[in-house]
Amino acid sequence: MKQTKHVKAARAFLLAAAATCLFPTVTAYAIEGWNKVGDEWQYLNREDQPVTNAFKKSKEDWFYLGDSGVLLKNRIFSYGGSDYYVDQDGRMAKNAWVFIDHESDPDSNYGDGGWHYFGADGKGYRAKGKGFRKEIDGQYYAFDENGNMLTGWIDEEGNVLSDEDPFVNARYYADADGALYTNRWLYYDWGSHLTSEVTGRSYEDYEKMWFYFGADSKKYRSRAGEQPFQRDINGATYGFDEKGVMIEWWDKVASISNAVRSNPTADERVRYYDGYDGGPLMKNKWLWMYPSANLDENANLDLESSWWRTDSKGRAYRNKILKVGGREYAFDGIGRMKTGFVLFDRAKSEFVAQYDVDAWSAKDFIEGNMYGIEKADLYLFSPDEMNDGSMQAGKEITVELADGPRTFAFAPSGKAYGSRNYLQKKDNKFYINGLRLDAPEDAGYGIVIQNIGTLSTPQYRFFVVDKNGKIVSGRRVLNTGEGYILVYNGQFIGFSGDEDAPRWRNSGSAGAGFYHYDRSERDHFARGLIAGPNTTVTKNDVPDDLALFIADPN
């Protein structure tokens, strides 16, 4: 059937409609990517619009498009709660230090400017609470809440201190390069008018002020009041006070007792840090030094030095007789080594007094005139302290007293024979407070009187000693140059001032005994008996110039 024109047109319309259903309409889009407009770069999205306030990557680098959609350059800015920096070409900084100035922070949003660090993700380091310490390339740095690197003295909260004495409250320190001192010494040469509680010394007296910062970058300091904080550093021990200053010379003891006038005593053992050699604690060492003012103000002012000895913990021995290297040494109540005559009580554990050997006479030892000698044991330590100063024990020794040389003797323990004013007989000799009782040179003999009874009922014994202190035994007639001492059975029984020496007679007119003898008379013994075995002797029978010592019970 022949189709009409209208039928053909209808068929064409239907075919077009069917084609429309089978093939939907496609919209044309622009290509997303970088686009340069003049000298500026943009990043166009699929709608051909500039991207704003977002990062976009090109090869290995990230770039930031600002509010206007233009690539941001040489700016620090905040994005997503973190800080970033893009350089002169717009690249985001990574693992890099950047100095932020007014040009890169025109609105001063980050303070007055300074160094910032941006990590591997491009985020800037900044303080968060107390977390202001960051590690970068093996070193530690501190940053404030704006991300500025901190230098100088820094406290526990991350604040930079700039007062007159910033070290007092500081825990950290960084030089101009920003690296926190870690396992490192700091020399501080600004000085201070403050005083250390641990040492009691003004910092004005310090030749140098040193600080040490540990593995956590924190300053070492004492936290226990007046007790030093001690740490081993490179094989030596150092002490630090409450402000962190390294201790030089002495630490301070809490108190000094002067109840005993000759023995100021520290309530604890003092420590010494060698300021001449960098400040290490002296352990198991001898040291020659004057005491701190806290220990002895006068000796400190006079720079009166003494020897001291420390133990394995650096504490000076005190109130002790101590054996060092096979020899014994004496130390007083604060720790000074003492020489000369030294008095100790309680089994060598309480120093009482010290006396120079030439400060006293033999009479002082006989009469016990020295303070403390009646209540303590006497020892002798070599007066030559620069060469020895050790105890003289187990022997007789000549000592140059104020009135000349005299002989003293000491037991193997070092204790003087006859200590505490008690007469002691040893090896057929008498000693009182260590002094051997010798007869005068001119007389050759002397008499020691000992009461073995009581004061109310005395029983005296009379011993004759020669000029070497040896007790005369047996029966003897001894010429003193002024007369004759008569000895029977080792005891003095009389004295004669005759020109001729008395003679012993077993069967004289008055029985056995010593008789006057006169060779000019026909009867040589006519004057009779002087003294015999039954003669009662009293103290008054002893010539005053021959009486060396009278020992009554206390």
Side-chain angles (χ1 to χ4, degrees):
M1 183 169 72
K2 187 176 180 179
Q3 296 179 334
T4 65
K5 183 177 180 181
H6 292 287
V7 171
K8 290 180 179 180
R11 291 179 63 188
F13 174 79
L14 292 173
L15 288 171
T20 301
C21 293
L22 292 173
F23 303 101
T25 302
V26 177
T27 303
Y29 288 93
I31 299 175
E32 180 179 353
W34 292 100
N35 179 50
K36 189 173 185 181
V37 179
D39 293 331
E40 301 294 339
W41 283 94
Q42 298 175 319
Y43 191 93
L44 301 179
N45 60 19
R46 294 177 64 184
E47 285 76 28
D48 205 28
Q49 296 299 313
V51 173
T52 61
N53 299 319
F55 276 102
K56 291 299 178 180
K57 192 173 185 181
S58 176
K59 296 182 180 180
E60 299 300 321
D61 296 314
W62 287 92
F63 298 82
Y64 187 78
L65 291 309
D67 293 337
S68 63
V70 176
L71 191 68
L72 201 63
K73 298 178 182 179
N74 187 26
R75 283 290 187 277
I76 185 171
F77 58 94
S78 178
Y79 176 78
S82 298
D83 299 325
Y84 297 87
Y85 172 80
V86 290
D87 64 15
Q88 298 287 353
D89 296 324
R91 291 182 178 84
M92 182 185 75
K94 295 186 295 183
N95 297 321
W97 286 99
V98 178
F99 187 81
I100 302 301
D101 54 17
H102 182 69
E103 184 179 350
S104 52
D105 180 27
D107 296 328
S108 299
N109 293 323
Y110 294 86
D112 296 330
W115 285 99
H116 291 241
Y117 188 82
F118 300 89
D121 58 0
K123 294 180 179 180
Y125 287 4
R126 62 161 61 188
K128 293 182 180 180
K130 290 187 177 181
F132 55 84
R133 178 173 171 265
K134 308 293 183 181
E135 184 177 4
I136 302 171
D137 296 331
Q139 297 193 82
Y140 292 92
Y141 298 82
F143 299 88
D144 66 13
E145 66 279 0
N146 290 321
N148 292 294
M149 182 191 77
L150 304 179
T151 60
W153 294 99
I154 304 167
D155 69 11
E156 197 85 58
E157 306 297 326
N159 302 307
V160 175
L161 304 175
S162 57
D163 55 348
E164 183 178 0
D165 297 297
F167 63 88
V168 174
N169 295 312
R171 290 309 307 274
Y172 306 90
Y173 182 82
D175 272 338
D177 66 359
L180 292 176
Y181 274 48
T182 305
N183 293 324
R184 184 178 174 186
W185 287 100
L186 169 65
Y187 170 49
Y188 182 75
D189 59 356
W190 288 89
S192 173
H193 299 295
L194 299 178
T195 296
S196 168
E197 293 180 11
V198 171
T199 66
R201 294 177 63 204
S202 169
Y203 295 127
E204 292 180 325
D205 298 335
Y206 282 49
E207 294 181 8
K208 299 178 180 179
M209 291 175 66
W210 288 96
F211 299 84
Y212 191 83
F213 300 84
D216 59 358
S217 304
K218 289 186 176 182
K219 175 186 69 177
Y220 284 173
R221 65 177 180 179
S222 170
R223 297 181 181 178
E226 296 182 348
Q227 291 297 319
F229 176 81
Q230 292 190 167
R231 277 294 181 270
D232 290 342
I233 302 171
N234 297 328
T237 302
Y238 297 84
F240 301 88
D241 70 9
E242 76 286 352
K243 299 176 184 67
V245 180
M246 185 193 78
I247 298 171
E248 293 182 349
W249 318 122
W250 301 105
D251 65 358
K252 186 178 75 171
V253 297
S255 63
I256 299 292
S257 169
N258 290 293
V260 180
R261 64 178 182 178
S262 62
N263 184 29
T265 301
D267 64 338
E268 57 189 291
R269 291 164 63 184
V270 69
R271 297 178 180 86
Y272 179 79
Y273 301 86
D274 189 1
Y276 292 117
D277 191 29
L281 180 65
M282 298 285 280
K283 298 180 181 179
N284 292 322
K285 299 285 187 180
W286 284 103
L287 60 108
W288 176 255
M289 189 60 188
Y290 52 87
S292 66
N294 174 242
L295 293 172
D296 189 326
E297 185 174 3
N298 291 332
N300 175 267
L301 291 174
D302 294 338
L303 303 181
E304 185 179 324
S305 293
S306 302
W307 284 107
W308 311 67
R309 177 72 188 190
T310 60
D311 65 10
S312 60
K313 295 183 178 180
R315 300 170 301 182
Y317 289 104
R318 62 180 172 87
N319 266 342
K320 191 176 186 66
I321 292 179
L322 175 73
K323 182 173 286 188
V324 181
R327 297 184 178 184
E328 292 189 271
Y329 301 86
F331 301 92
D332 70 6
I334 63 175
R336 293 171 292 199
M337 188 186 84
K338 291 297 182 178
T339 59
F341 288 112
V342 178
L343 292 169
F344 258 87
D345 195 12
R346 299 180 183 176
K348 303 180 181 179
S349 65
E350 184 178 336
F351 173 82
V352 175
Q354 178 274 340
Y355 301 104
D356 293 337
V357 295
D358 58 357
W360 304 91
S361 66
K363 182 180 179 181
D364 293 316
F365 284 89
I366 291 172
E367 296 180 353
N369 293 331
M370 295 173 288
Y371 166 78
I373 201 167
E374 77 288 349
K375 64 178 182 179
D377 296 326
L378 181 70
Y379 299 85
L380 176 65
F381 293 84
S382 173
D384 187 6
E385 64 179 342
M386 297 306 296
N387 293 318
D388 184 14
S390 65
M391 178 190 290
Q392 306 300 298
K395 60 183 178 181
E396 286 190 335
I397 184 171
T398 300
V399 179
E400 193 72 31
L401 300 181
D403 56 345
R406 294 299 296 265
T407 300
F408 286 75
F410 303 87
S413 66
K415 178 181 174 181
Y417 293 128
S419 281
R420 301 178 185 248
N421 284 343
Y422 285 101
L423 181 69
Q424 183 175 356
K425 182 180 178 183
K426 179 68 177 177
D427 296 333
N428 211 33
K429 301 173 185 178
F430 282 107
Y431 300 90
I432 182 69
N433 294 318
L435 176 70
R436 191 179 73 190
L437 295 177
D438 297 342
E441 283 288 336
D442 54 352
Y445 299 96
I447 299 170
V448 176
I449 305 170
Q450 183 181 30
N451 182 1
I452 61 174
T454 64
L455 289 175
S456 59
T457 310
Q459 298 180 44
Y460 288 107
R461 302 187 69 189
F462 301 84
F463 297 89
V464 179
V465 297
D466 64 18
K467 59 185 179 182
N468 293 315
K470 190 172 182 179
I471 298 173
V472 176
S473 60
R475 189 179 71 209
R476 303 282 299 277
V477 176
L478 305 173
N479 188 356
T480 68
E482 298 293 332
Y484 298 92
I485 295 174
L486 307 179
V487 180
Y488 177 78
N489 199 23
Q491 291 286 300
F492 167 84
I493 61 171
F495 181 83
S496 171
D498 293 349
E499 181 179 351
D500 293 326
R503 303 289 178 90
W504 176 267
R505 301 189 72 188
N506 288 320
S507 56
S509 59
F514 291 103
Y515 283 78
H516 292 284
Y517 179 81
D518 189 345
R519 58 187 170 184
S520 65
E521 297 290 337
R522 177 175 295 184
D523 183 358
H524 299 317
F525 300 102
R527 294 174 56 194
L529 180 70
I530 302 173
N534 297 320
T535 299
T536 299
V537 182
T538 69
K539 291 188 292 182
N540 294 329
D541 296 321
V542 179
D544 291 341
D545 58 345
L546 296 181
L548 301 179
F549 185 77
I550 301 175
D552 282 313
N554 293 334

